PDB file of all heavy atoms in Angstrom:
ATOM      1  N   ILE A 511    -162.496 -50.679 167.691  1.00 97.00           N
ATOM      2  CA  ILE A 511    -161.273 -50.273 168.397  1.00 97.00           C
ATOM      3  C   ILE A 511    -160.973 -51.251 169.536  1.00 97.00           C
ATOM      4  O   ILE A 511    -159.846 -51.724 169.686  1.00 97.00           O
ATOM      5  CB  ILE A 511    -161.430 -48.837 168.965  1.00 97.00           C
ATOM      6  CG1 ILE A 511    -161.799 -47.857 167.844  1.00 97.00           C
ATOM      7  CG2 ILE A 511    -160.163 -48.378 169.704  1.00 97.00           C
ATOM      8  CD1 ILE A 511    -160.729 -47.715 166.781  1.00 97.00           C
ATOM      9  N   THR A 512    -162.035 -51.578 170.281  1.00 97.00           N
ATOM     10  CA  THR A 512    -161.858 -52.507 171.400  1.00 97.00           C
ATOM     11  C   THR A 512    -161.305 -53.845 170.879  1.00 97.00           C
ATOM     12  O   THR A 512    -160.351 -54.420 171.472  1.00 97.00           O
ATOM     13  CB  THR A 512    -163.219 -52.784 172.074  1.00 97.00           C
ATOM     14  OG1 THR A 512    -163.873 -51.515 172.211  1.00 97.00           O
ATOM     15  CG2 THR A 512    -163.065 -53.439 173.413  1.00 97.00           C
ATOM     16  N   MET A 513    -161.816 -54.321 169.738  1.00 96.00           N
ATOM     17  CA  MET A 513    -161.347 -55.593 169.203  1.00 96.00           C
ATOM     18  C   MET A 513    -159.882 -55.513 168.759  1.00 96.00           C
ATOM     19  O   MET A 513    -159.099 -56.418 168.995  1.00 96.00           O
ATOM     20  CB  MET A 513    -162.235 -56.035 168.037  1.00 96.00           C
ATOM     21  CG  MET A 513    -163.653 -56.428 168.480  1.00 96.00           C
ATOM     22  SD  MET A 513    -164.606 -57.155 167.164  1.00 96.00           S
ATOM     23  CE  MET A 513    -165.071 -55.782 166.214  1.00 96.00           C
ATOM     24  N   LEU A 514    -159.533 -54.384 168.135  1.00 97.00           N
ATOM     25  CA  LEU A 514    -158.159 -54.240 167.662  1.00 97.00           C
ATOM     26  C   LEU A 514    -157.181 -54.131 168.861  1.00 97.00           C
ATOM     27  O   LEU A 514    -156.093 -54.665 168.831  1.00 97.00           O
ATOM     28  CB  LEU A 514    -158.005 -53.012 166.730  1.00 97.00           C
ATOM     29  CG  LEU A 514    -158.710 -53.183 165.368  1.00 97.00           C
ATOM     30  CD1 LEU A 514    -158.698 -51.855 164.590  1.00 97.00           C
ATOM     31  CD2 LEU A 514    -158.048 -54.284 164.535  1.00 97.00           C
ATOM     32  N   GLU A 515    -157.680 -53.458 169.911  1.00 97.00           N
ATOM     33  CA  GLU A 515    -156.848 -53.330 171.106  1.00 97.00           C
ATOM     34  C   GLU A 515    -156.589 -54.720 171.709  1.00 97.00           C
ATOM     35  O   GLU A 515    -155.485 -55.011 172.180  1.00 97.00           O
ATOM     36  CB  GLU A 515    -157.516 -52.419 172.136  1.00 97.00           C
ATOM     37  CG  GLU A 515    -157.306 -50.946 171.811  1.00 97.00           C
ATOM     38  CD  GLU A 515    -158.160 -50.011 172.659  1.00 97.00           C
ATOM     39  OE1 GLU A 515    -159.147 -50.489 173.283  1.00 97.00           O
ATOM     40  OE2 GLU A 515    -157.863 -48.819 172.675  1.00 97.00           O
ATOM     41  N   ARG A 516    -157.649 -55.555 171.642  1.00 96.00           N
ATOM     42  CA  ARG A 516    -157.488 -56.935 172.164  1.00 96.00           C
ATOM     43  C   ARG A 516    -156.414 -57.686 171.383  1.00 96.00           C
ATOM     44  O   ARG A 516    -155.604 -58.420 171.949  1.00 96.00           O
ATOM     45  CB  ARG A 516    -158.811 -57.684 172.067  1.00 96.00           C
ATOM     46  CG  ARG A 516    -159.439 -57.841 173.443  1.00 96.00           C
ATOM     47  CD  ARG A 516    -160.497 -58.890 173.537  1.00 96.00           C
ATOM     48  NE  ARG A 516    -161.228 -59.230 172.351  1.00 96.00           N
ATOM     49  CZ  ARG A 516    -162.497 -58.878 172.113  1.00 96.00           C
ATOM     50  NH1 ARG A 516    -163.146 -58.132 172.959  1.00 96.00           N
ATOM     51  NH2 ARG A 516    -163.070 -59.250 170.987  1.00 96.00           N
ATOM     52  N   LEU A 517    -156.398 -57.440 170.043  1.00 96.00           N
ATOM     53  CA  LEU A 517    -155.384 -58.081 169.204  1.00 96.00           C
ATOM     54  C   LEU A 517    -153.988 -57.614 169.586  1.00 96.00           C
ATOM     55  O   LEU A 517    -153.058 -58.423 169.712  1.00 96.00           O
ATOM     56  CB  LEU A 517    -155.628 -57.688 167.745  1.00 96.00           C
ATOM     57  CG  LEU A 517    -156.270 -58.686 166.799  1.00 96.00           C
ATOM     58  CD1 LEU A 517    -156.400 -58.094 165.409  1.00 96.00           C
ATOM     59  CD2 LEU A 517    -155.403 -59.936 166.716  1.00 96.00           C
ATOM     60  N   LEU A 518    -153.904 -56.299 169.805  1.00 96.00           N
ATOM     61  CA  LEU A 518    -152.580 -55.738 170.126  1.00 96.00           C
ATOM     62  C   LEU A 518    -152.103 -56.171 171.501  1.00 96.00           C
ATOM     63  O   LEU A 518    -150.880 -56.170 171.771  1.00 96.00           O
ATOM     64  CB  LEU A 518    -152.640 -54.204 170.065  1.00 96.00           C
ATOM     65  CG  LEU A 518    -152.746 -53.620 168.652  1.00 96.00           C
ATOM     66  CD1 LEU A 518    -152.907 -52.102 168.717  1.00 96.00           C
ATOM     67  CD2 LEU A 518    -151.491 -53.955 167.842  1.00 96.00           C
ATOM     68  N   ALA A 519    -153.057 -56.585 172.335  1.00 96.00           N
ATOM     69  CA  ALA A 519    -152.677 -57.019 173.678  1.00 96.00           C
ATOM     70  C   ALA A 519    -151.974 -58.362 173.665  1.00 96.00           C
ATOM     71  O   ALA A 519    -151.329 -58.747 174.646  1.00 96.00           O
ATOM     72  CB  ALA A 519    -153.912 -57.072 174.583  1.00 96.00           C
ATOM     73  N   ILE A 520    -152.088 -59.081 172.567  1.00 95.00           N
ATOM     74  CA  ILE A 520    -151.403 -60.383 172.470  1.00 95.00           C
ATOM     75  C   ILE A 520    -149.894 -60.106 172.459  1.00 95.00           C
ATOM     76  O   ILE A 520    -149.420 -59.216 171.738  1.00 95.00           O
ATOM     77  CB  ILE A 520    -151.833 -61.132 171.190  1.00 95.00           C
ATOM     78  CG1 ILE A 520    -153.338 -61.368 171.196  1.00 95.00           C
ATOM     79  CG2 ILE A 520    -151.084 -62.470 171.081  1.00 95.00           C
ATOM     80  CD1 ILE A 520    -153.874 -61.903 169.903  1.00 95.00           C
ATOM     81  N   GLU A 521    -149.196 -60.911 173.260  1.00 93.00           N
ATOM     82  CA  GLU A 521    -147.815 -60.555 173.535  1.00 93.00           C
ATOM     83  C   GLU A 521    -146.940 -60.340 172.290  1.00 93.00           C
ATOM     84  O   GLU A 521    -146.281 -59.324 172.137  1.00 93.00           O
ATOM     85  CB  GLU A 521    -147.192 -61.670 174.410  1.00 93.00           C
ATOM     86  CG  GLU A 521    -146.044 -61.115 175.240  1.00 93.00           C
ATOM     87  CD  GLU A 521    -145.432 -62.247 176.017  1.00 93.00           C
ATOM     88  OE1 GLU A 521    -146.076 -62.673 176.997  1.00 93.00           O
ATOM     89  OE2 GLU A 521    -144.355 -62.720 175.627  1.00 93.00           O
ATOM     90  N   ILE A 522    -147.034 -61.273 171.380  1.00 94.00           N
ATOM     91  CA  ILE A 522    -146.110 -61.246 170.251  1.00 94.00           C
ATOM     92  C   ILE A 522    -146.534 -60.223 169.149  1.00 94.00           C
ATOM     93  O   ILE A 522    -145.761 -59.875 168.265  1.00 94.00           O
ATOM     94  CB  ILE A 522    -146.000 -62.682 169.669  1.00 94.00           C
ATOM     95  CG1 ILE A 522    -144.800 -62.788 168.728  1.00 94.00           C
ATOM     96  CG2 ILE A 522    -147.270 -63.097 168.978  1.00 94.00           C
ATOM     97  CD1 ILE A 522    -144.516 -64.253 168.345  1.00 94.00           C
ATOM     98  N   VAL A 523    -147.793 -59.721 169.264  1.00 96.00           N
ATOM     99  CA  VAL A 523    -148.334 -58.877 168.200  1.00 96.00           C
ATOM    100  C   VAL A 523    -148.024 -57.401 168.449  1.00 96.00           C
ATOM    101  O   VAL A 523    -148.158 -56.916 169.579  1.00 96.00           O
ATOM    102  CB  VAL A 523    -149.867 -59.055 168.112  1.00 96.00           C
ATOM    103  CG1 VAL A 523    -150.446 -58.147 167.006  1.00 96.00           C
ATOM    104  CG2 VAL A 523    -150.236 -60.498 167.861  1.00 96.00           C
ATOM    105  N   CYS A 524    -147.541 -56.723 167.437  1.00 96.00           N
ATOM    106  CA  CYS A 524    -147.443 -55.261 167.549  1.00 96.00           C
ATOM    107  C   CYS A 524    -148.140 -54.593 166.393  1.00 96.00           C
ATOM    108  O   CYS A 524    -148.542 -55.251 165.413  1.00 96.00           O
ATOM    109  CB  CYS A 524    -146.006 -54.802 167.696  1.00 96.00           C
ATOM    110  SG  CYS A 524    -145.043 -55.134 166.234  1.00 96.00           S
ATOM    111  N   ALA A 525    -148.333 -53.276 166.514  1.00 97.00           N
ATOM    112  CA  ALA A 525    -149.162 -52.564 165.516  1.00 97.00           C
ATOM    113  C   ALA A 525    -148.663 -52.750 164.112  1.00 97.00           C
ATOM    114  O   ALA A 525    -149.443 -52.810 163.151  1.00 97.00           O
ATOM    115  CB  ALA A 525    -149.203 -51.086 165.874  1.00 97.00           C
ATOM    116  N   ALA A 526    -147.326 -52.886 163.931  1.00 97.00           N
ATOM    117  CA  ALA A 526    -146.774 -53.020 162.586  1.00 97.00           C
ATOM    118  C   ALA A 526    -147.190 -54.345 161.929  1.00 97.00           C
ATOM    119  O   ALA A 526    -147.037 -54.524 160.727  1.00 97.00           O
ATOM    120  CB  ALA A 526    -145.257 -52.947 162.644  1.00 97.00           C
ATOM    121  N   ASN A 527    -147.767 -55.274 162.741  1.00 98.00           N
ATOM    122  CA  ASN A 527    -148.231 -56.553 162.176  1.00 98.00           C
ATOM    123  C   ASN A 527    -149.646 -56.478 161.634  1.00 98.00           C
ATOM    124  O   ASN A 527    -150.181 -57.459 161.143  1.00 98.00           O
ATOM    125  CB  ASN A 527    -148.176 -57.675 163.226  1.00 98.00           C
ATOM    126  CG  ASN A 527    -146.756 -57.934 163.722  1.00 98.00           C
ATOM    127  OD1 ASN A 527    -146.465 -57.878 164.883  1.00 98.00           O
ATOM    128  ND2 ASN A 527    -145.858 -58.199 162.766  1.00 98.00           N
ATOM    129  N   LEU A 528    -150.243 -55.290 161.763  1.00 98.00           N
ATOM    130  CA  LEU A 528    -151.641 -55.195 161.351  1.00 98.00           C
ATOM    131  C   LEU A 528    -151.858 -54.046 160.362  1.00 98.00           C
ATOM    132  O   LEU A 528    -151.180 -53.019 160.434  1.00 98.00           O
ATOM    133  CB  LEU A 528    -152.540 -54.938 162.578  1.00 98.00           C
ATOM    134  CG  LEU A 528    -152.597 -56.079 163.615  1.00 98.00           C
ATOM    135  CD1 LEU A 528    -153.369 -55.603 164.831  1.00 98.00           C
ATOM    136  CD2 LEU A 528    -153.243 -57.340 163.017  1.00 98.00           C
ATOM    137  N   GLU A 529    -152.842 -54.300 159.500  1.00 98.00           N
ATOM    138  CA  GLU A 529    -153.302 -53.209 158.624  1.00 98.00           C
ATOM    139  C   GLU A 529    -154.796 -53.401 158.506  1.00 98.00           C
ATOM    140  O   GLU A 529    -155.284 -54.537 158.583  1.00 98.00           O
ATOM    141  CB  GLU A 529    -152.634 -53.321 157.251  1.00 98.00           C
ATOM    142  CG  GLU A 529    -153.077 -52.251 156.275  1.00 98.00           C
ATOM    143  CD  GLU A 529    -152.044 -52.013 155.152  1.00 98.00           C
ATOM    144  OE1 GLU A 529    -152.087 -52.816 154.182  1.00 98.00           O
ATOM    145  OE2 GLU A 529    -151.244 -51.095 155.251  1.00 98.00           O
ATOM    146  N   ILE A 530    -155.542 -52.339 158.369  1.00 97.00           N
ATOM    147  CA  ILE A 530    -156.955 -52.528 158.056  1.00 97.00           C
ATOM    148  C   ILE A 530    -157.186 -51.992 156.646  1.00 97.00           C
ATOM    149  O   ILE A 530    -156.514 -51.060 156.184  1.00 97.00           O
ATOM    150  CB  ILE A 530    -157.908 -51.923 159.108  1.00 97.00           C
ATOM    151  CG1 ILE A 530    -157.887 -50.428 159.063  1.00 97.00           C
ATOM    152  CG2 ILE A 530    -157.612 -52.430 160.501  1.00 97.00           C
ATOM    153  CD1 ILE A 530    -159.175 -49.921 158.525  1.00 97.00           C
ATOM    154  N   GLU A 531    -158.140 -52.662 155.956  1.00 96.00           N
ATOM    155  CA  GLU A 531    -158.490 -52.271 154.578  1.00 96.00           C
ATOM    156  C   GLU A 531    -159.955 -51.906 154.543  1.00 96.00           C
ATOM    157  O   GLU A 531    -160.765 -52.571 155.200  1.00 96.00           O
ATOM    158  CB  GLU A 531    -158.339 -53.471 153.635  1.00 96.00           C
ATOM    159  CG  GLU A 531    -156.945 -53.903 153.379  1.00 96.00           C
ATOM    160  CD  GLU A 531    -156.881 -55.000 152.302  1.00 96.00           C
ATOM    161  OE1 GLU A 531    -157.882 -55.246 151.609  1.00 96.00           O
ATOM    162  OE2 GLU A 531    -155.800 -55.611 152.161  1.00 96.00           O
ATOM    163  N   ALA A 532    -160.250 -50.860 153.823  1.00 92.00           N
ATOM    164  CA  ALA A 532    -161.674 -50.539 153.607  1.00 92.00           C
ATOM    165  C   ALA A 532    -161.833 -49.889 152.247  1.00 92.00           C
ATOM    166  O   ALA A 532    -160.892 -49.229 151.774  1.00 92.00           O
ATOM    167  CB  ALA A 532    -162.196 -49.623 154.703  1.00 92.00           C
ATOM    168  N   THR A 533    -162.966 -50.144 151.625  1.00 89.00           N
ATOM    169  CA  THR A 533    -163.174 -49.536 150.310  1.00 89.00           C
ATOM    170  C   THR A 533    -163.631 -48.107 150.473  1.00 89.00           C
ATOM    171  O   THR A 533    -164.011 -47.683 151.582  1.00 89.00           O
ATOM    172  CB  THR A 533    -164.258 -50.310 149.518  1.00 89.00           C
ATOM    173  OG1 THR A 533    -165.411 -50.336 150.337  1.00 89.00           O
ATOM    174  CG2 THR A 533    -163.827 -51.703 149.196  1.00 89.00           C
TER     175      THR A 533
END
Side-chain angles (χ1 to χ4, degrees):
I511 304 297
T512 316
M513 290 189 283
L514 291 172
E515 280 170 344
R516 253 198 334 253
L517 256 181
L518 288 175
I520 301 171
E521 207 183 285
I522 194 170
V523 179
C524 67
N527 297 125
L528 295 173
E529 179 158 81
I530 71 110
E531 289 186 13
T533 55

